[in-house]
Amino acid sequence: MFRYVLKRALRARPWALPVAPALQQPQPWLSCHKPSMRQFGYATPRTDDMLFNENDDTIYALSSGAGKAGIAVIRISGPGSLSVYKALCPTKPPPKPRYAGVRTLLDPASANLPNGNILDSDSLILYFPGPKTVTGEDVLELHVHGGSATIKAVLAAIPKCSTTGKVRYAEPGEFTRRAFLNGRLDLAQVESLGDTLDAVTEQQRRVAVQGNSGVLGKTYERWREELLLARGEIEALIDFSEDQHFDESPTELLTNVRRLVEGILHSINMHKLGSQKSELLRNGIRIALLGPPNAGKSSLMNQIVGREASIVSSEAGTTRDVIEANLDIRGYLCSFADTAGIRTESTRSIANHDGDSSPVIGAIEQEGIRRARQKAMDSDIVIVLASVEAGKGGGHQISYDVETLKLAAAAQQCLVAVNKSDVVERETLEPLIQGFKRSALGSVQGLQGAEPLTISCKAAATAAAGLTDPGGVHTLTERLVQSFSELTSLPGDMHHLLGVTERQNQLLFECQMHLEGFMTEAQACGAGREPDVVLAAEHLRLAANRLACITGRGDSGDVEEVLGVIFEK
């Protein structure tokens, strides 16, 4: 194996040692891919110009938020960081590394004059020598007073400082980019850093923390190295099978590699599951309110979101379009959609005030019903409403629509609620609920065991202060939070999978396709044909490349195409 790796290394770098011309001939099937030591697990120094036109500039930027504040943090990174400090504070020595010091900042143009221009007094200064810093370079932080004029004066003075190299304002994401180039972050951690800055709910923050742990990047890098070693074994068999003796036959070798690939494929499926759950937490859980007209969908939405997002009227069919509102419920970002009332031939409703039980459905209402159906199919959770209504011949009954029940049953999670429970006494309501469970829910596949919640939006809106759960809306909200947890939870040892992003999920899917292609070749021996070891090795190479795109390590050709977009976030 050592002879094989040495031969490939010399072929990849023919300038290092004299090599026979025969050894410099590239393999025809790899003519489009130049081998390198890194592809076989040997690290090569990462230079800045591999991905960006980097130089030795010292960069600076306002790291705290823009606008008026008590304190503003200006970060400086690069070889000239200490020179910037000496220009701003010429009479004071630098503070001890990683210890804070109070200094007066002077304008470099007048620092040596008796009455130099003071930019800011009592600034807090911290100096971090590289490479164990956020960027891997020397870093200087200026904690100045947060007034706009002070910030502008200090920022304008920094490029005037005398340093050995250029001092310039940082480009978007350049601090993070340098951290990546210097090995302080992998690409998965960079994405999580963006999620941390964008997080607005508690669950989004937890997702960002899981992704920033570095566990995902280490896992993908370990898979890549395992695939590279397996590919090296297969290519050794290809190159030297005629003049060397191998303990394993091609079939035996592929069988051993197949066990490795099977384990990676199983892990990829788990990571894809984590991506699905994390996307719900990042982008929000979609909730649709369904039910027949005048069932109280708009009233329920207003109670949940805490404002009048939808128009409420006793007139049926008030809502004709989908009305959406976003809110944070117990740390979960949710998107509620109030939809048009659905009425079809299966609607068990009560006559309107004119006695006509089958009013004509106009074109606008039909479009609203179509959008309501589509919104239900696109949602993660469906809340379907029925309501207690007065019957034609006296008494009361529950009005509902069978189609809305079927749409709810097809969703990942659903809740069934019966509104207007305040119009009848509890002794009358209980038989109505039991009949509704038998005749309505019992006839819909997937809802036979559902337990409907009884609510009253009117009671919730008019209840006196101090009541714990007026109208039962709080109980419904608790059930919603339980559904959120069921949709997004993972076992304790898999919480880090919540850090998998959509980009990583797409690359894992591509990696999975190549690994399944390898499995097809590896299983050929069981089908009575000789496996194509050349094609099998190529599938492993492509799979490893996809993993390299996730972390930004290795020789993946299109890594640089996505780095700029990711860093600017």
Side-chain angles (χ1 to χ4, degrees):
M1 183 63 188
F2 173 77
R3 292 172 57 192
Y4 163 71
V5 173
L6 178 60
K7 181 178 177 182
R8 295 299 291 245
L10 293 176
R11 183 187 301 163
R13 290 165 173 79
W15 57 87
L17 290 173
V19 185
L23 297 181
Q24 299 181 22
Q25 293 297 323
Q27 293 292 331
W29 62 280
L30 283 177
S31 58
C32 62
H33 180 76
K34 180 181 178 180
S36 68
M37 291 291 285
R38 188 188 292 119
Q39 292 170 317
F40 294 96
Y42 291 82
T44 56
R46 175 179 289 273
T47 58
D48 291 355
D49 57 2
M50 290 173 61
L51 298 176
F52 300 93
N53 293 323
E54 291 289 324
N55 50 39
D56 293 330
D57 291 354
T58 297
I59 59 174
Y60 69 96
L62 177 66
S63 294
S64 54
K68 186 177 180 180
I71 295 175
V73 179
I74 298 173
R75 176 174 289 172
I76 305 162
S77 178
S81 297
L82 202 54
S83 298
V84 170
Y85 168 83
K86 293 177 181 179
L88 295 175
C89 307
T91 61
K92 291 280 189 177
K96 184 179 178 181
R98 293 176 173 80
Y99 282 78
V102 178
R103 300 288 189 271
T104 296
L105 303 183
L106 302 176
D107 188 337
S110 60
N112 296 321
L113 300 178
N115 297 317
N117 181 21
I118 297 177
L119 301 175
D120 188 40
S121 59
D122 297 330
S123 296
L124 197 66
I125 311 299
L126 294 101
Y127 173 63
F128 305 91
K132 294 184 178 181
T133 64
V134 65
T135 62
E137 304 172 327
D138 291 349
V139 172
L140 180 69
E141 285 190 358
L142 311 177
H143 296 235
V144 302
H145 291 91
S148 299
T150 301
I151 296 173
K152 290 179 181 178
V154 175
L155 289 176
I158 292 175
K160 301 176 184 177
C161 297
S162 176
T163 63
T164 55
K166 182 180 179 182
V167 179
R168 60 177 175 81
Y169 201 84
E171 298 175 1
E174 190 168 3
F175 286 99
T176 307
R177 186 177 71 187
R178 292 194 176 192
F180 169 76
L181 292 173
N182 293 320
R184 302 299 294 172
L185 296 173
D186 60 41
L187 207 52
Q189 290 175 299
V190 171
E191 289 182 287
S192 296
L193 178 60
D195 290 339
T196 301
L197 300 178
D198 293 336
V200 295
T201 68
E202 174 63 14
Q203 294 299 328
Q204 289 176 330
R205 182 194 66 79
R206 291 184 178 183
V207 167
V209 168
Q210 294 297 335
N212 199 37
S213 66
V215 175
L216 291 175
K218 293 176 182 177
T219 299
Y220 300 141
E221 187 64 16
R222 186 183 73 249
W223 292 354
R224 189 180 74 90
E225 291 175 355
E226 290 174 348
L227 293 178
L228 291 177
L229 291 175
R231 176 187 161 209
E233 294 284 350
I234 295 175
E235 292 193 2
L237 186 66
I238 297 171
D239 287 353
F240 303 107
S241 58
E242 295 182 358
D243 55 358
Q244 296 289 334
H245 173 71
F246 287 86
D247 296 332
E248 295 177 307
S249 66
T251 299
E252 292 173 334
L253 178 58
L254 290 182
T255 300
N256 292 334
V257 176
R258 186 177 67 184
R259 297 192 187 99
L260 167 68
V261 172
E262 286 174 347
I264 295 178
L265 283 172
H266 173 74
S267 298
I268 286 177
N269 287 329
M270 293 296 100
H271 281 238
K272 292 172 66 178
L273 175 63
S275 172
Q276 295 171 6
K277 294 180 179 294
S278 65
E279 284 303 305
L280 289 176
L281 297 175
R282 286 190 184 92
N283 301 329
I285 300 172
R286 299 164 297 179
I287 305 168
L289 299 174
L290 294 184
N294 209 27
K297 300 181 297 299
S298 298
S299 298
L300 177 59
M301 179 170 174
N302 292 343
Q303 286 298 315
I304 293 177
V305 303
R307 60 183 176 86
E308 293 186 3
S310 296
I311 298 175
V312 177
S313 172
S314 59
E315 179 183 349
T318 304
T319 304
R320 298 298 181 93
D321 202 351
V322 177
I323 299 174
E324 298 188 70
N326 296 330
L327 72 156
D328 180 346
I329 298 182
R330 303 288 180 83
Y332 294 91
L333 177 62
C334 307
S335 175
F336 277 88
D338 179 20
T339 63
I342 297 179
R343 49 179 175 149
T344 62
E345 295 179 357
S346 63
T347 303
R348 269 62 172 177
S349 60
I350 310 305
N352 62 11
H353 298 294
D354 298 329
D356 182 8
S357 60
S358 302
V360 177
I361 301 177
I364 295 178
E365 186 175 358
Q366 288 179 354
E367 176 61 19
I369 293 173
R370 184 195 68 79
R371 295 186 181 188
R373 293 191 184 106
Q374 185 62 48
K375 178 59 67 174
M377 290 186 287
D378 294 340
S379 297
D380 306 301
I381 299 176
V382 171
I383 302 176
V384 59
L385 259 66
S387 61
V388 179
E389 305 286 354
K392 295 180 181 179
H396 293 82
Q397 67 180 50
I398 294 180
S399 172
Y400 66 93
D401 182 79
V402 175
E403 182 181 356
T404 60
L405 296 177
K406 293 180 178 178
L407 288 170
Q412 297 183 57
Q413 294 278 337
C414 70
L415 295 178
V416 181
V418 178
N419 191 25
K420 305 182 184 179
S421 61
D422 60 297
V423 302
V424 296
E425 299 295 331
R426 179 168 295 276
E427 295 77 10
T428 305
L429 179 62
E430 186 61 29
L432 291 177
I433 295 297
Q434 295 301 322
F436 174 66
K437 289 171 62 177
R438 289 193 304 270
S439 62
L441 302 185
S443 63
V444 177
Q445 183 69 29
L447 294 181
Q448 287 88 346
E451 188 66 33
L453 300 172
T454 56
I455 63 172
S456 172
C457 295
K458 180 179 179 181
T462 59
L467 296 179
T468 56
D469 188 11
V473 175
H474 291 175
T475 300
L476 186 145
T477 304
E478 291 295 331
R479 287 282 299 274
L480 271 178
V481 173
Q482 182 180 346
S483 297
F484 299 161
S485 178
E486 293 173 359
L487 283 172
T488 60
S489 63
L490 284 171
D493 59 344
M494 298 173 61
H495 278 176
H496 64 280
L497 299 185
L498 290 175
V500 180
T501 65
E502 179 59 29
R503 185 191 73 90
Q504 295 167 16
N505 183 51
Q506 179 61 37
L507 291 169
L508 287 174
F509 172 77
E510 296 174 10
C511 175
Q512 183 181 34
M513 293 297 100
H514 293 305
L515 292 180
E516 289 176 352
F518 169 83
M519 292 295 291
T520 300
E521 292 302 321
Q523 293 168 353
C525 53
R529 68 179 178 87
E530 187 70 18
D532 188 338
V533 292
V534 174
L535 184 58
E538 179 67 1
H539 279 304
L540 293 183
R541 181 185 73 83
L542 295 172
N545 267 359
R546 296 298 87 194
L547 294 174
C549 283
I550 296 179
T551 61
R553 309 303 182 192
D555 277 340
S556 178
D558 58 350
V559 169
E560 55 266 34
E561 298 178 7
V562 300
L563 289 182
V565 175
I566 292 175
F567 289 135
E568 288 178 6
K569 291 183 179 179

